[in-house]
Amino acid sequence: MSHHHPHDHTHEHHHEEVEGSWRDGQDDRPLSVARRRFLAGLGAAGVATTLGATPAHAHDDRPATPVNPWSGRGRWYAGDHHIHTKYSQDGQYEVAQQVAKAREYGMDWLVITDHGSVAHEKFSIGQITPDIEQARRSHRDVLVYQGLEWNIPGAEHATVFLPPGRSTVDILQAFEAAYDGALLSTPVANGGKGLITRSTSADGEPYALAALRYLEAQVLSGRTEIALMFANHPARRGVDSPHEFRGWRDAAPDVAVGMEGAPGHQAAGIRKADGGNGTGRGGYDASPNQDSFPGYAPTATENPYRTYGGFDWMTAKVGGLWDSLLAEGRPWWVTATSDAHRVHQDTFTPGTGDHGKTGSRGAPIDTGTPQVQSDYWPGFYSSTLVGANSKSYVDVMRGMQSGKVVAVHGRIIDGLNLRVRSLGEGDNRGVTIGGRTFVRRGDDVEVVIEVDLARGANFAGMVPRLAKVDLIAGPITGPVVDRDAFSAPATKVVKSFEVARTARGTVKFTHAFRGVEGAFYLRLRGSDGNKLTSDGHPVMDVIGDADPWSDLWFYANPVFVDVI
Amino acid sequence: MTWLGAVPALPGGHGAAHVDALLLTAFDGVEADFVCTHIDRLGPVAVTALSAHVTGEVDVDRLSEALGGPVVVLDSPDSPGIPDSPAARAARAGRDRTDGRCIRFPGQSTLTGTHPAAEVVAGSAIDRVVGIGVPVSPTDRVETLGFLRPLCQDGELVLLVEPAVGGVLRPTEAESPHECCGGH
């Protein structure tokens, strides 16, 4: 079912709190109590779960309210939470260069995330802080967050960032000193702590949980308004076990909120014959190592160590790891970033500074000759669209925390307006991306999807054409028994909407889930349709032959639907 | 003719291919036709162990010194007297081909170019070439790039391959994957 629809439309919805409904906190009918307890993370049957924390959206004994209520067409702010500079040993750019380029390519917000290391903690932070302050002054229309690419002890890397504040730098530095996997695994003789075997070895896992609790404590104590963590390139080396994701999420649910759905380095798979690097898209060309989770071993049917349509396998696989987390009924959001270290066809190369001794590569060198590299500038290819109340540091982070996030490649869409609501008793106003709504058992749930198609060319100079939108849904089955579970077999593509070739502007699709009997979640993804399996799924990217511009996808974050 | 297992001391911060080369160097002067690495996850931290099929005499003390760790020799099919340890587990896994990643195997040195899948199987100890997401026919070309690391699975030696640029199949494990950044 597909049709083109004019941009504007009318709608009706109920704003009022309804006395006597489930939302009435005075209502002590068992159903309402059970419903509130469910939202408080205690499960519909009131059985205490084994989880150590309540969900981010819990409202304890107050009446539950929908999360991310639908409120018409919101504003999207495009950004990138994973950017390197000369303060990374494998980076090269000035902060100012990255911010200027990101602004040129339409970014509203950025996070500077140089790698944690002994030298970074010791020498880089003091240098990068004034550079970031200067960049903010030079580009007042771009939010420039100070962050860190944290070596998660026992696992991969992650973006950690805070809004600007009096204690921001102190918190980041203390965090890195105490909890970065590189510092923890570096021998004392070399300036580290020598407390864990390797940055990725399992003896680091408790430090990762302590680190996230530390960040949460900084929020609770008021030293910072908010702090967020996103796991980066999660499947690249297979070292992020399913139980580690669950552990991070449950240790600090308001801090550890998601992962890169798509890694950076999207130019890496361009064919050598076309002037590219000819390696694995996303830099995903590894195979298992001793710290990899054995369940991710490649098989005859899939290779988790590769990207699929440019997205990480954990996100791209329907019914895979991401869905396994979502099927627990708890938030976990996906993003898309550049991971820009060295930009493909840019003429700069790293400076001659000794990063290990100074914390900086020094000023980059302009060779005048385009270099064959793997990355794009922030905003050039990958965008994380965030729905926020305003373009302010805290509001954009709140938008990310609440999951109002869409991961977009190559401008395959300009925006997305999703409304999910009960057509019977329940939340008739409905919620949008990242939200949580409710319906009375047996009633219908309506999904209205409005996609803003690209109104102009992307940075490859072509106007991308969205070919289809998949509506994916699966039951909420509650907390897993096996914390290393990474499949949600009941999650499926329930409907694929074809986008007419002639479609322009905004296209609208609707779908109804009839007679809903159990809690479920739904999410959207869309594709240019160029590379699909026979089932309509993304194709595993071919090593050395993956033109990112001819295989574009977007992934939107889920909406949870509870049943009362 | 015996299987042995070892827990070598490994240098940190280098790629798997580099570690393989160091391990094989330790076998200089030891006639071994199969050498595999194994990951032992029974302890709190995963440990890389090694197994080898030795076809001649072996000076265990010298080998142990070269590898920087204990060496255990399986002297009978059941080796009842050998206590369980990462080295013993590796030796048994290599012998039974239940698990492991083969860094040396018969026929390896002849498979350095691009070969039909049938030739890979006929000319080496590799039992099967398995494509990820694609069927492999005997005439499909396998571009080895001089680096083959077949896996022991269920008693067989299996080479996992995947489509690569130029319409060929390449082994899933590459010799020099993307250097991972980070501050180590």
Side-chain angles (χ1 to χ4, degrees), chain B residues 15-91:
Chain B
H18 175 75
V19 171
D20 296 347
L22 293 176
L23 295 177
L24 291 175
T25 301
F27 276 84
D28 279 352
V30 179
E31 287 177 37
D33 56 357
F34 275 95
V35 180
C36 297
T37 61
H38 305 264
I39 301 168
D40 194 290
R41 296 189 176 87
L42 291 188
V45 168
V47 170
T48 295
L50 168 153
S51 69
H53 184 240
V54 177
T55 54
E57 289 299 308
V58 57
D59 179 340
V60 171
D61 291 341
R62 197 208 65 80
L63 182 62
S64 175
E65 190 180 333
L67 288 168
V71 172
V72 167
V73 178
L74 300 185
D75 40 17
S76 69
D78 299 327
S79 303
I82 295 178
D84 195 36
S85 69
R89 286 193 288 272

Side-chain angles (χ1 to χ4, degrees), chain A residues 114-247:
Chain A
D114 287 303
H115 293 290
S117 71
V118 172
H120 181 270
E121 192 274 327
K122 206 167 170 185
F123 306 120
S124 305
I125 295 178
Q127 300 172 72
I128 198 164
T129 301
D131 284 6
I132 287 175
E133 286 165 351
Q134 177 61 44
R136 287 175 185 147
R137 285 192 293 272
S138 305
H139 301 286
R140 292 189 180 277
D141 51 348
V142 182
L143 305 177
V144 185
Y145 295 92
Q146 186 159 356
L148 168 73
E149 189 167 24
W150 177 36
N151 294 290
I152 310 171
E156 260 296 348
H157 303 170
T159 287
V160 165
F161 69 114
L162 311 173
R166 226 177 320 157
S167 304
T168 296
V169 178
D170 291 345
I171 293 170
L172 285 171
Q173 188 153 20
F175 176 85
E176 183 175 352
Y179 302 117
D180 189 275
L183 280 84
L184 288 167
S185 62
T186 298
V188 174
N190 297 337
K193 300 266 198 285
L195 289 169
I196 64 177
T197 310
R198 295 176 292 273
S199 186
T200 53
S201 54
D203 52 350
E205 292 183 15
Y207 291 93
L209 302 181
L212 292 164
R213 290 191 194 105
Y214 166 82
L215 287 178
E216 189 175 56
Q218 304 316 301
V219 178
L220 295 174
S221 70
R223 285 186 85 207
T224 182
E225 273 198 67
I226 184 170
L228 293 178
M229 174 274 210
F230 286 90
N232 291 341
H233 37 75
R236 182 174 67 172
R237 292 178 292 167
V239 296
D240 287 357
S241 312
H243 75 262
E244 290 179 284
F245 289 108
R246 292 188 168 97

Side-chain angles (χ1 to χ4, degrees), chain A residues 120 149 166 285 317 356 487 514 537:
Chain A
H120 181 270
E149 189 167 24
R166 226 177 320 157
D285 58 356
K317 182 179 182 180
S487 75
R514 300 283 176 201
H537 294 304

Side-chain angles (χ1 to χ4, degrees), chain A residues 65-420:
Chain A
T65 49
V67 177
N68 291 0
W70 186 82
S71 59
R73 303 182 64 82
R75 171 77 206 269
W76 292 108
Y77 298 100
D80 185 335
H81 69 69
H82 192 172
I83 297 168
H84 293 271
T85 74
K86 66 180 182 182
Y87 299 112
S88 291
Q89 63 276 36
D90 55 356
Q92 62 179 32
Y93 296 112
E94 304 284 357
V95 174
Q97 280 176 293
Q98 289 283 33
V99 175
K101 283 292 184 182
R103 183 174 176 277
E104 184 182 337
Y105 296 121
M107 297 276 93
D108 297 300
W109 58 270
L110 310 169
V111 189
I112 302 297
T113 51
D114 287 303
H115 293 290
S117 71
V118 172
H120 181 270
E121 192 274 327
K122 206 167 170 185
F123 306 120
S124 305
I125 295 178
Q127 300 172 72
I128 198 164
T129 301
D131 284 6
I132 287 175
E133 286 165 351
Q134 177 61 44
R136 287 175 185 147
R137 285 192 293 272
S138 305
H139 301 286
R140 292 189 180 277
D141 51 348
V142 182
L143 305 177
V144 185
Y145 295 92
Q146 186 159 356
L148 168 73
E149 189 167 24
W150 177 36
N151 294 290
I152 310 171
E156 260 296 348
H157 303 170
T159 287
V160 165
F161 69 114
L162 311 173
R166 226 177 320 157
S167 304
T168 296
V169 178
D170 291 345
I171 293 170
L172 285 171
Q173 188 153 20
F175 176 85
E176 183 175 352
Y179 302 117
D180 189 275
L183 280 84
L184 288 167
S185 62
T186 298
V188 174
N190 297 337
K193 300 266 198 285
L195 289 169
I196 64 177
T197 310
R198 295 176 292 273
S199 186
T200 53
S201 54
D203 52 350
E205 292 183 15
Y207 291 93
L209 302 181
L212 292 164
R213 290 191 194 105
Y214 166 82
L215 287 178
E216 189 175 56
Q218 304 316 301
V219 178
L220 295 174
S221 70
R223 285 186 85 207
T224 182
E225 273 198 67
I226 184 170
L228 293 178
M229 174 274 210
F230 286 90
N232 291 341
H233 37 75
R236 182 174 67 172
R237 292 178 292 167
V239 296
D240 287 357
S241 312
H243 75 262
E244 290 179 284
F245 289 108
R246 292 188 168 97
W248 306 331
R249 178 198 65 188
D250 298 344
D254 289 339
V255 174
V257 295
M259 62 184 176
E260 284 179 345
H265 308 312
Q266 288 283 328
I270 297 174
R271 298 192 329 160
K272 282 191 173 152
D274 297 332
N277 228 340
T279 60
R281 189 173 178 182
Y284 277 40
D285 58 356
S287 40
N289 69 42
Q290 60 191 342
D291 292 327
S292 302
F293 176 66
Y296 301 152
T299 65
T301 53
E302 61 181 355
N303 188 347
Y305 292 76
R306 301 290 176 265
T307 50
Y308 285 72
F311 277 68
D312 186 285
W313 165 85
M314 292 176 177
T315 292
K317 182 179 182 180
V318 171
L321 187 135
W322 185 32
D323 285 316
S324 167
L325 297 174
L326 298 178
E328 292 187 82
R330 295 168 68 89
W332 192 253
W333 318 127
V334 300
T335 63
T337 73
S338 69
D339 199 355
H341 288 72
R342 301 182 192 180
V343 171
H344 183 48
Q345 291 176 332
D346 182 45
T347 56
F348 281 84
T349 56
T352 55
D354 182 341
H355 185 276
K357 290 201 168 72
T358 67
S360 171
R361 301 295 303 263
I365 297 157
D366 190 350
T367 63
T369 308
Q371 305 290 306
V372 177
Q373 295 293 353
S374 296
D375 310 343
Y376 290 119
W377 293 110
F380 193 88
Y381 183 79
S382 306
S383 287
T384 297
L385 303 182
V386 177
N389 292 336
S390 77
K391 188 171 168 178
S392 71
Y393 283 97
V394 172
D395 274 356
V396 168
M397 289 185 77
R398 292 251 181 261
M400 297 180 82
Q401 188 182 43
S402 73
K404 267 192 211 174
V405 175
V406 186
V408 180
H409 273 173
R411 201 182 179 181
I412 185 66
I413 59 171
D414 274 350
L416 181 61
N417 181 26
L418 173 68
R419 184 183 189 187
V420 181

Side-chain angles (χ1 to χ4, degrees), chain A residues 515-535:
Chain A
V516 171
E517 288 297 328
F520 71 104
Y521 71 96
L522 62 90
R523 60 185 181 86
L524 303 171
R525 72 175 180 192
S527 162
D528 62 6
N530 288 334
K531 287 189 181 163
L532 300 174
T533 66
S534 56
D535 300 332

